[in-house]
Amino acid sequence: MHVVVVTKSTPDTEATVTVEAGGNVNWGDKLVVNPWDEYAITEAVLLKGAHGGQATILTLGGEEQQEALKHGLAIGVDQAIRIWDPALQNHDSLGYAAAVAAAIRKLGDVDLVIFGKELSDIASDQHIFQVARRLGWNMIGFVSKIESLDAGAGTIRAQRLTERGTETVTSKLPAVISVVKDINEPKYPTFIGIRKAAKAEMPVWGLGDLGLDASAVSPRTQVAGHRELPKREGTVEMIEGSPQEQAARLVEKLLEEKIL
Amino acid sequence: MSGNVFVWIEQSGGKANSASWEAVGLARRLAGELGGQVIALVFGQGVDSVAQAAFQYGADEVIKADDPSLAHYRFAPYVSLLAKLVQERNPAVVLAAASTSGREVLAGAAADVNAGLLTDVTELSLEGGKLRAVRPILGGKVLREEAIVGEGPQFATLRNRAFPAPQPDTSRSGTVTEAAPALSEDQIATKVERVEEAAGTISLTDATIIVAGGRGVGGPDGFGPVRDLADVLGGAVGASRAAVDAGWIPYEHQVGQTGKVVSPDLYIAAGISGAIQHQAGMRTARVIVAINKDADAPIFRLAQYGLVGDLFQILPALAEEFRKRLS
Ligand SMILES: Cc1cc2nc3c(=O)[nH]c(=O)nc-3n(C[C@H](O)[C@H](O)[C@H](O)COP(=O)(O)OP(=O)(O)OC[C@H]3O[C@@H](n4cnc5c(N)ncnc54)[C@H](O)[C@@H]3O)c2cc1C
Ligand SMILES: Nc1ncnc2c1ncn2[C@@H]1O[C@H](COP(=O)(O)O)[C@@H](O)[C@H]1O
């Protein structure tokens, strides 16, 4: 079986974020593996362990993405590939999907593609569903558990978590899935894994390697700027007294303000 | 291209997701500016009442696809059908609620028709016929402005409760157009075997009131007073990651960056310190009340009302007081 996990690094959630005069956003430059992708990478390694075959980690981006690839290799993924091309500089989700789908096709024998639920920085997941569509594969989003997987028979049974509850679905492979936090406990790199990853070769595939030209990734959306949130801090009204007095005063205020 | 606005209405078991009506409300405004009509799309089985409700909330036309193959939401048949209808009717704008299925269906169909998509937006307007949106990013610390470029239908999904829900007008009605599914059952590889609805509980993302507990509740039983207050208020129960990781409450209840993003009218945080990752999920609540025994907890910097004290005394006192005042 060949499982591919797709990742992208995101700013550290603790980062201080500022908006510059021109509307650009600045978070210092520290990147971490997208927290959701920790589950996706771990799941790829667990599936490989359980079913044999190989696991590949894929990313789209510049040199800053190398660390995330090494993280994947260090916990047991077999190969890492980075997709990058100057024409991808201002890509949107459709351009992303075109390039990532082409890379998955180029790998050739892929059974399952795993994404973390969303990118934690822009809280976006549209690129995942668009990759599935560009591949023409089945999509199971928000998977909390893979109940069974049979690469030989080409079937998967999984539970997915939606607003309404849990759904059990079956589908045919190849498929794309996105995974939520319930699926596993993320693995952390071992010393030996880190040493192995440091020595690994990580090829970079450009659009030419993927058989695409720049028009295939021209964006349909663009970022027009950023602004700060209206400030909320410093407005707290402390309500004092015994618990009963606190409760009575709070309820009074909430009723006055017609919150209820 | 028409000036029409499509709204995909999410429904399950013949019951619409109320966030879809918020999308219909916004669609009315956009259709007014574009000189077009609001066309609601209802996919499912036995969905006549949802189609009727769509008129009452403001649709001019309903395209209804009523078929066993659409009885339960599945990615491929829903995406293929939406993409086919967009190609046939060429709307200017396609909207839906940014729920799990709304995100999937619009992203998939946008890929099929090569359209720009703005997701999970909290503001949306037209400038020179092009959609322009605002959405919170980086854990809600910054607002990003995004725009569609190029020609063709423009897609957007709307964050729950970011747009006002219109009042239904029971005298409104309109034309129902029937549509056939795009895929037949034997072309669909995905089957839904079982659905377990979280019975009797209110979905966090729909809730107008949320009472949430954190590590401060001290254990699974500590959610008792949290749940009692939520019940008195008809609200939902939320939790911090610390409480979820400790196994005190299931992950579905987690609010925050790696949980759910919620925007209730009232969010009561009890025994939650207010870490930045928790804030990412609840900072857009209209009113935040913090209950914490530590007066220096960061949650007090975000709250409108702060109560320093023991949650085990304050939550029952609040439940008691609300019960008195709301009955
Ligand atoms: C990548 C990443 C993602 C994360 N995602 C999330 C997320 O989605 N959601 C989330 O919540 N967290 C998330 N976290 C974790 C977050 O950083 C905090 O660790 C977590 O929110 C802390 O939970 P807490 O406030 O319940 O616990 P604590 O920080 O331990 O706070 C407990 C509070 O309870 C108070 N308290 C104790 N006893 C009482 C009492 N009897 N009465 C009143 N008050 C009392 C204490 O004073 C304290 O302020 C994430 C972290 C990372 C690194
Ligand atoms: N490098 C990337 N990796 C994964 N998804 C991406 C990446 N860049 C952009 N996206 C997706 O593309 C959409 C548009 O991105 P942007 O062009 O940054 O607004 C986002 O909402 C994501 O879904």
Side-chain angles (χ1 to χ4, degrees):
Chain A
M1 189 188 58
H2 190 171
V3 48
V4 173
V5 56
V6 192
T7 189
K8 186 195 174 205
S9 299
T10 52
D12 191 339
T13 53
E14 302 280 355
T16 311
V17 181
T18 51
V19 178
E20 293 164 0
N24 279 334
V25 64
N26 192 326
W27 61 76
D29 282 325
K30 186 161 179 274
L31 291 177
V32 297
V33 175
N34 173 29
W36 296 103
D37 294 351
E38 304 244 12
Y39 304 100
I41 299 169
T42 300
E43 196 61 22
V45 173
L46 292 174
L47 288 174
K48 183 195 127 180
H51 301 277
Q54 58 168 332
T56 300
I57 184 165
L58 204 62
T59 190
L60 184 154
E63 299 266 348
E64 76 286 350
Q65 302 294 328
Q66 299 285 102
E67 278 308 310
L69 296 183
K70 283 189 196 155
H71 176 84
L73 294 173
I75 62 176
V77 174
D78 304 297
Q79 63 168 342
I81 295 159
R82 181 160 65 89
I83 303 166
W84 189 241
D85 196 286
L88 287 165
Q89 192 62 47
N90 290 312
H91 71 277
D92 66 358
S93 62
L94 283 174
Y96 175 93
V100 170
I104 291 166
R105 260 197 224 101
K106 185 176 158 85
L107 286 169
D109 54 354
V110 176
D111 302 288
L112 185 69
V113 177
I114 310 182
F115 283 86
K117 175 186 172 246
E118 65 189 20
L119 297 171
S120 76
D121 53 353
I122 53 177
S124 183
D125 51 12
Q126 66 200 58
H127 58 290
I128 304 169
F129 313 122
Q130 296 188 328
V131 167
R133 234 29 214 177
R134 283 284 176 270
L135 287 166
W137 291 4
N138 300 304
M139 173 80 226
I140 312 177
F142 310 95
V143 170
S144 56
K145 183 174 185 187
I146 296 178
E147 287 189 353
S148 65
L149 182 76
D150 185 338
T155 56
I156 180 171
R157 172 191 272 112
Q159 287 181 9
R160 58 192 298 267
L161 209 57
T162 74
E163 295 87 347
R164 312 261 155 251
T166 309
E167 257 175 49
T168 307
V169 303
T170 59
S171 194
K172 296 242 162 70
L173 299 177
V176 176
I177 67 172
S178 73
V179 300
V180 301
K181 183 174 164 252
D182 262 5
I183 195 152
N184 57 39
E185 276 299 321
K187 280 180 180 287
Y188 293 99
T190 57
F191 180 69
I192 300 170
I194 294 171
R195 287 242 316 254
K196 211 178 94 207
K199 282 185 275 176
E201 297 238 6
M202 297 186 276
V204 179
W205 289 353
L207 289 186
D209 301 309
L210 299 174
L212 297 175
D213 59 36
S215 68
V217 297
S218 67
R220 306 298 323 271
T221 61
Q222 67 185 23
V223 175
H226 294 89
R227 49 186 157 91
E228 305 266 11
L229 285 187
K231 275 267 175 296
R232 190 167 219 179
E233 304 197 356
T235 57
V236 67
E237 181 179 337
M238 299 307 282
I239 298 180
E240 321 211 316
S242 71
Q244 285 66 31
E245 288 162 354
Q246 285 176 306
R249 276 185 211 142
L250 177 65
V251 172
E252 190 61 48
K253 292 201 182 276
L254 294 175
L255 292 174
E256 251 169 45
E257 283 190 44
K258 303 212 175 349
I259 304 302
L260 294 165
Chain B
M1 160 130 357
S2 70
N4 293 339
V5 179
F6 268 14
V7 186
W8 178 67
I9 308 293
E10 179 180 355
Q11 66 82 33
S12 147
K15 206 171 157 292
N17 173 355
S18 60
S20 297
W21 306 136
E22 296 162 14
V24 172
L26 176 67
R28 276 250 63 90
R29 193 183 93 207
L30 299 180
E33 289 178 42
L34 292 163
Q37 299 213 308
V38 174
I39 304 175
L41 312 181
V42 181
F43 305 166
Q45 187 179 26
V47 288
D48 285 333
S49 64
V50 178
Q52 289 314 313
F55 292 124
Q56 296 175 1
Y57 281 96
D60 299 302
E61 182 187 346
V62 173
I63 300 179
K64 185 182 72 141
D66 208 318
D67 191 85
S69 68
L70 301 170
H72 199 281
Y73 167 74
R74 288 180 292 176
F75 182 74
Y78 273 59
V79 167
S80 298
L81 180 54
L82 176 58
K84 179 165 166 263
L85 293 170
V86 169
Q87 270 153 351
E88 285 172 8
R89 301 283 295 262
N90 213 8
V93 172
V94 181
L95 302 178
S99 59
T100 51
S101 52
R103 286 161 169 253
E104 292 190 357
V105 175
L106 263 68
D112 285 13
V113 304
N114 261 316
L117 164 64
L118 306 172
T119 18
D120 205 18
V121 308
T122 55
E123 295 173 37
L124 194 66
S125 58
L126 280 163
E127 272 174 40
K130 290 283 180 305
L131 286 182
R132 204 180 165 91
V134 171
R135 81 152 130 156
I137 62 161
L138 293 165
K141 289 187 261 189
V142 183
L143 299 177
R144 179 151 99 175
E145 292 172 26
E146 300 176 338
I148 303 255
V149 291
E151 299 307 313
Q154 315 179 65
F155 285 53
T157 61
L158 317 180
R159 180 169 295 187
N160 238 11
R161 300 181 39 78
F163 298 87
Q167 281 304 317
D169 171 354
T170 49
S171 67
R172 275 187 108 257
S173 67
T175 355
V176 177
T177 311
E178 307 264 351
L183 301 180
S184 62
E185 187 59 44
D186 56 10
Q187 294 173 301
I188 307 168
T190 307
K191 312 285 171 195
V192 178
E193 292 201 333
R194 196 170 64 236
V195 182
E196 274 168 64
E197 305 241 343
T201 56
I202 297 157
S203 140
L204 268 183
T205 43
D206 294 341
T208 55
I209 298 177
I210 294 172
V211 186
R215 203 196 308 271
V217 309
D221 298 341
F223 273 95
V226 175
R227 227 168 258 125
D228 286 347
L229 180 57
D231 287 346
V232 171
L233 293 171
V237 173
S240 74
R241 174 159 166 184
V244 171
D245 284 354
W248 301 344
I249 185 162
Y251 170 58
E252 291 97 275
H253 294 270
Q254 184 178 318
V255 172
Q257 184 164 24
T258 45
K260 297 209 165 81
V261 176
V262 299
S263 288
D265 291 334
L266 175 62
Y267 189 89
I268 301 179
I272 294 178
S273 61
I276 194 80
Q277 296 90 356
H278 188 77
Q279 292 190 16
M282 44 67 83
R283 65 189 313 152
T284 55
R286 219 172 108 212
V287 171
I288 296 167
V289 173
I291 302 168
N292 198 301
K293 65 181 184 191
D294 173 8
D296 293 326
I299 189 84
F300 287 122
R301 294 205 285 275
L302 192 69
Q304 270 80 71
Y305 298 110
L307 284 66
V308 176
D310 182 0
L311 69 91
F312 291 103
Q313 295 185 355
I314 296 178
L315 288 179
L318 273 172
E320 175 70 35
E321 191 66 26
F322 277 120
R323 211 175 272 123
K324 260 196 292 193
R325 301 292 301 265
L326 295 176
S327 62

